[in-house]
Amino acid sequence: MIKNRSAVARLLTALVAVVTAAGALLADFVVPATAAQHMHNDAWAPHAKFHDAQYIVMSILLGLLALAVLRWRGGARDAVWTACAILTTPWLGLLSALLFPGTAIEDPEFDNPAVLGLHPQVFLSAVLLALLLTAALLVARPRHPA
């Protein structure tokens, strides 16, 4: 049994917030191997790069906002649930983007190795969403029989 569920929930949520704030910037702009598939991809139109830059900035802002929310005084449940709601935005957005016609998780000239049969971004999204769900459940109020 976990003794301090709210501390573990805050820690898990903060971890996802840091990954959210730094991940897109690192993967899409800084790390050479992955940035070559995004902001440093000469085949991308300037407008596509604009939208990637928009996603990078949005991810930074959402991660920082979630970290600020986690510092709220008062109920851990409200802080964790609010931070989790904020942090699901970019990860559910990434997965939902696959539903739009003509989209692809990667450009055809790249072949990213699968992680457990999933594209690395899809795998990361699933892991981070699972961590957020775990954090939210850790601070959920137990049901009392009527």
Side-chain angles (χ1 to χ4, degrees):
M1 172 104 180
I2 299 172
K3 290 196 180 239
N4 194 343
R5 296 164 69 97
S6 64
V8 173
R10 283 182 189 266
L11 181 64
L12 291 175
T13 308
L15 173 66
V16 175
V18 169
V19 171
T20 301
L25 176 65
L26 292 173
D28 290 10
F29 190 68
V30 176
V31 176
T34 54
Q37 299 179 40
H38 297 90
M39 292 299 287
H40 299 298
N41 185 345
D42 292 335
W44 273 26
H47 189 69
K49 290 181 182 188
F50 167 84
H51 282 291
D52 190 36
Q54 180 183 24
Y55 181 79
I56 291 168
V57 172
M58 178 195 67
S59 295
I60 292 168
L61 294 173
L62 291 172
L64 293 176
L65 178 60
L67 287 171
V69 166
L70 287 173
R71 294 181 48 89
W72 282 355
R73 298 199 195 300
R77 179 178 177 260
D78 290 343
V80 169
W81 280 22
T82 301
C84 285
I86 291 166
L87 292 168
T88 61
T89 301
W91 303 109
L92 287 177
L94 184 146
L95 295 175
S96 299
L98 295 169
L99 301 174
F100 281 76
T103 64
I105 194 71
E106 66 186 2
D107 290 319
E109 69 266 23
F110 299 103
D111 185 25
N112 291 293
V115 179
L116 298 178
L118 298 171
H119 184 278
Q121 288 180 306
V122 173
F123 178 77
L124 179 62
S125 296
V127 168
L128 296 177
L129 288 168
L131 290 175
L132 293 172
L133 177 61
T134 301
L137 291 174
L138 282 170
V139 295
R141 291 190 181 113
R143 292 184 183 219
H144 297 288

